Amino acid sequence: MKRNTLILSSLIATSQVLAQDRPNIILFLVDDMGVMDTSVPFLTDKDGQVETHPLNQWYRTPNMERLAAQGIRFSTFYAQSVSSPSRTSIMTGQNAARHRTTNWINSESNNRTTFGPHDWNWEGITSDVPVYPKLLQAEGYRTIHVGKAHFGCIGSEGEDPRNIGFDVNIGGNSIGQPGSYYGEWGYGWIKGNKKRAVPGLEKYHGSDVFLTDALTLEAEDEIEKSVKEGKPFYLNMSHYAVHQPFETDKRFLDHYRNSGKGGQAEAFATLVEGMDKSLGDLIQKLEELGVAENTLILFLGDNGGDAPLGGAADYGSSAPLRGKKGSEYEGGVRVSFIASWAKPDATNKFQKKYPIAQNAVQLQQGTVMDLYPTILSVAGVKAPKDYPLDGSDLKKLLQGKRDKKHRDDFLMHFPHGEHRANYFTTYRKGDWKLIYYYNPETAGEPSWKLYNLKEDPYEASDLATKHPEKAASMIEQMKDRLEEENALYPVDKNGNVCKL
């Protein structure tokens, strides 16, 4: 009897794999996870060889290791330096300077900050924007959002993901962090920060189910519903982890006790490992349902890391990179990125159309703006005509090849203050990186720094004085791109716009 049941299950799974007309797609997005918050090494040396650093030996992420082994990771993948700008860039395919959500969105009040642009997009994504979930939805996809949204403020259309193209929303609204990770505390409703309590998970209140697990269980249920309905699905698996508060997931604490790094760093590491368990659980669910071969997973963080290991501009939480979330340095914008089919199969029709290299490292850079055209390409859905995109399809890069047409520059525009770095734009072009400070607080002259990331990947030596002509050239190129994206600028204390 047991053998017959296994055979029947196998036949059902095979029929489901063959019956699908479009692949499933999971965007596995981790909040505040930088490129160094994992046991998977992403950074490479001058020869392009992967290097393992002490932080890679500190964290435990075996399921990320598995995903990287069966797929491709990028040594350099850029996001915006804070949450809402990155999440909006992912959904729209546009840079923050263009969509104008240039700061994280405070739920209750406009946080443009003292000298920030008055017309920045605090309300976030509106229903008229052709975000890719809406395009997938129109082509028959069941679109699912689980976890942190942070697409708009209270009362905005973007507050509820169902207004912008999702069929299902579990746990997402205007908040950017959880009230608590503890089920015993009702994820903030019973105890913790009630203003940031996570909605829609009442059935777990009072239980010992950690928030990361609750969201994973809900995602698994929605995947199963999609499979039963015979619909391809897009899952925005958007964890609140590993954002503050750094509350300990006790299941993993023994791996980090007495580390000498401090209790908060140990708690953060347990959040990372719990997130990794979620990844493994989802892959297992896909395999049980017989749809792993048909499902692409795109794994990434939404901005630089925020581990409680050092300050904003030093070499701590992202070491050996400089800086962390919110900063102008590489540690503020470099994130983990892995692409893989959940179960590689060279004979699968979707994998034939969109092959992904295995156990590979891509040295050419990618950005969060590339996800929009990539996801549509995988799904076989066209982007709207005349809709400006700042990214491009990663198809060739995901095969482990170089793509000469893929842009080699990255603009990160933060015209706001009251963060770890204030009123700045960074611009990378090739090996060179410019950091431009507007200095509106004093209505003084702007200032800048210049780095050669090929020779100085950890941004230790400012070359602006040594290479003034290169700095001037970079400023002009940055200016051109800001103007092309119709950027907004800080306003100084005298009311003057700090335009270049």
Side-chain angles (χ1 to χ4, degrees), residues 52-305:
T52 299
H53 295 275
L55 285 177
N56 299 131
Q57 298 169 327
W58 161 244
Y59 295 108
R60 292 173 179 245
T61 54
N63 293 297
M64 283 185 66
E65 292 176 24
R66 172 188 172 187
L67 197 70
Q70 65 186 40
I72 189 167
R73 62 193 127 149
F74 279 50
S75 63
T76 305
F77 200 87
Y78 285 113
Q80 312 295 340
S81 67
V82 289
S83 173
S84 299
S86 276
R87 290 163 186 270
T88 307
S89 288
I90 291 170
M91 288 289 114
T92 64
Q94 296 182 341
N95 207 358
R98 189 186 301 278
H99 62 63
R100 295 185 171 182
T101 297
T102 41
N103 198 3
W104 63 275
I105 292 173
N106 183 48
S107 294
E108 296 86 2
S109 59
N110 188 329
N111 55 316
R112 80 170 182 94
T113 67
T114 305
F115 302 105
H118 293 279
D119 295 329
W120 82 285
N121 186 12
W122 171 55
E123 294 191 351
I125 300 174
T126 54
S127 61
D128 61 333
V129 177
V131 296
Y132 68 78
K134 184 183 296 184
L135 303 179
L136 296 177
Q137 188 182 53
E139 294 293 333
Y141 272 81
R142 188 165 183 266
T143 52
I144 308 159
H145 175 86
V146 177
K148 175 175 171 176
H150 214 194
F151 299 137
C153 60
I154 291 175
S156 69
E157 290 182 304
E159 180 184 12
D160 186 342
R162 290 174 298 182
N163 293 329
I164 60 169
F166 287 97
D167 295 308
V168 177
N169 170 38
I170 298 171
N173 60 9
S174 67
I175 63 174
Q177 67 180 77
S180 172
Y181 285 96
Y182 297 134
E184 297 90 336
W185 293 7
Y187 313 119
W189 291 104
I190 299 170
K191 186 178 179 181
N193 184 351
K194 291 188 177 181
K195 288 185 177 180
R196 296 296 178 265
V198 179
L201 299 173
E202 289 79 10
K203 68 183 179 184
Y204 301 101
H205 289 188
S207 75
D208 64 353
V209 179
F210 208 74
L211 175 59
T212 306
D213 279 3
L215 295 173
T216 305
L217 291 168
E218 292 298 303
E220 289 176 354
D221 286 347
E222 294 301 328
I223 290 173
E224 189 163 353
K225 289 176 185 177
S226 301
V227 173
K228 286 181 178 178
E229 291 179 18
K231 286 188 173 184
F233 65 83
Y234 168 75
L235 170 62
N236 209 52
M237 184 70 248
S238 180
H239 277 296
Y240 283 95
V242 293
H243 197 292
Q244 296 184 44
F246 301 140
E247 294 175 340
T248 301
D249 190 333
K250 296 176 183 177
R251 296 171 296 175
F252 308 110
L253 184 56
D254 284 346
H255 296 160
Y256 309 100
R257 288 185 192 275
N258 305 314
S259 66
K261 296 180 184 293
Q264 285 286 276
E266 292 170 359
F268 180 85
T270 70
L271 292 177
V272 171
E273 190 164 352
M275 169 281 303
D276 183 77
K277 177 183 179 297
S278 169
L279 176 64
D281 290 348
L282 282 180
I283 294 173
Q284 182 177 337
K285 185 67 174 180
L286 295 169
E287 291 174 344
E288 290 173 359
L289 293 171
V291 295
E293 297 94 332
N294 289 354
T295 305
L296 175 67
I297 298 177
L298 301 171
F299 179 105
L300 76 157
D302 70 339
N303 46 243

Side-chain angles (χ1 to χ4, degrees), residues 464-491:
T465 302
K466 186 175 181 180
H467 296 287
E469 292 182 358
K470 184 63 179 180
S473 172
M474 290 287 286
I475 290 171
E476 283 302 309
Q477 291 177 80
M478 181 185 74
K479 178 182 176 181
D480 289 343
R481 183 153 180 197
L482 285 166
E483 290 181 352
E484 192 272 325
E485 295 181 5
N486 201 21
L488 298 174
Y489 300 87
V491 180

